[in-house]
Amino acid sequence: MNPRSFPSVEAYNAAYPDCPIPTDPATRHGLRGYQAAMSGVTDDVTGTEGSLTLDFLPGGAPGPHEGDRTGTVVATHWGDGPVLVLAERVSLRAAWRAITDQWPTRLSEVRIALTHVPS
């Protein structure tokens, strides 16, 4: 099954007001996210073109000295639509660890890693 998809950041933010993607580029680029060694994650699931980046919302993946948050993990084309929702109501710290323990380069691998994160 394909992840839930929104055509734009605005459409995603309307559906997930508690876990928004910042619309200010400087703020969004400051989020701690995952880019597969800056090359991006290849979408081998939905067929969208280009590389994807993973965002942990709200606020990015928690750093080592930050408290955990519950939120949503999404994939975007470097902050542009479509927005693919990969996990909802999960520990962002656990989701970050699941991803960085595997270092996936394909979206299918990201989805497998996230299946082990409890909601």
Side-chain angles (χ1 to χ4, degrees), residues 2-17 19-23 28 31 43 45-46 48-49 51-57 72-88 107 111:
N2 284 342
R4 188 169 180 199
S5 179
F6 294 88
S8 66
V9 169
E10 293 78 13
Y12 165 83
N13 284 350
Y16 290 85
C19 300
I21 297 172
T23 55
R28 194 189 65 68
L31 296 179
D43 182 358
V45 174
T46 70
T48 61
E49 303 271 330
S51 297
L52 302 171
T53 185
L54 303 182
D55 288 310
F56 299 76
L57 303 166
T72 303
V73 180
V74 302
T76 67
H77 290 281
W78 305 98
D80 295 321
V83 177
L84 306 174
V85 178
L86 304 175
E88 301 175 74
L107 189 58
R111 293 180 70 199

